[in-house]
Amino acid sequence: MRRIGVDKVLRPIGEYLKDAGYEVAELDTIDPEITADFDAIVISGLERDMFGIQDTTTKVPVIDATGMTPDEVLDEVKSRIERMR
């Protein structure tokens, strides 16, 4: 099962991804040691600076869900995971 880290403020999107069959974990911060355990990470643009994404180097796709519907986030997660294979 694919594991997705989701910003805690995006709980409805996390639930949507769970319903789609993904294992979802809520994140308070993004730590490079933790991100290695995920297939993708979904963040809120509002939390982008708090997470320090611009300073974090990770091989895991980071998806900014700003302005996206849950269905659009799901499509992006699927697309990014496929590209990583």
Side-chain angles (χ1 to χ4, degrees):
M1 179 180 293
R2 298 293 187 174
R3 190 159 187 242
I4 311 298
V6 178
D7 181 349
K8 69 179 182 175
V9 302
L10 297 173
R11 185 168 286 147
I13 288 177
E15 291 299 320
Y16 190 83
L17 293 172
K18 281 182 189 176
D19 291 344
Y22 292 91
E23 180 182 341
V24 175
E26 286 187 2
L27 299 175
D28 289 324
T29 60
I30 297 210
D31 178 337
E33 291 180 21
I34 295 171
T35 60
D37 294 335
F38 294 100
D39 295 295
I41 296 170
V42 181
I43 64 166
S44 160
L46 298 174
E47 304 297 326
R48 187 174 195 85
D49 291 332
M50 181 187 84
F51 279 148
I53 295 299
Q54 67 277 10
D55 299 325
T56 302
T57 302
T58 179
K59 293 181 181 178
V60 176
V62 177
I63 299 161
D64 183 347
T66 303
M68 298 172 79
T69 66
D71 197 44
E72 290 170 331
V73 172
L74 175 61
D75 288 344
E76 189 66 20
V77 165
K78 288 178 182 177
S79 173
R80 297 273 191 101
I81 289 174
E82 278 299 313
R83 280 190 250 158
M84 293 298 293
R85 286 186 175 182

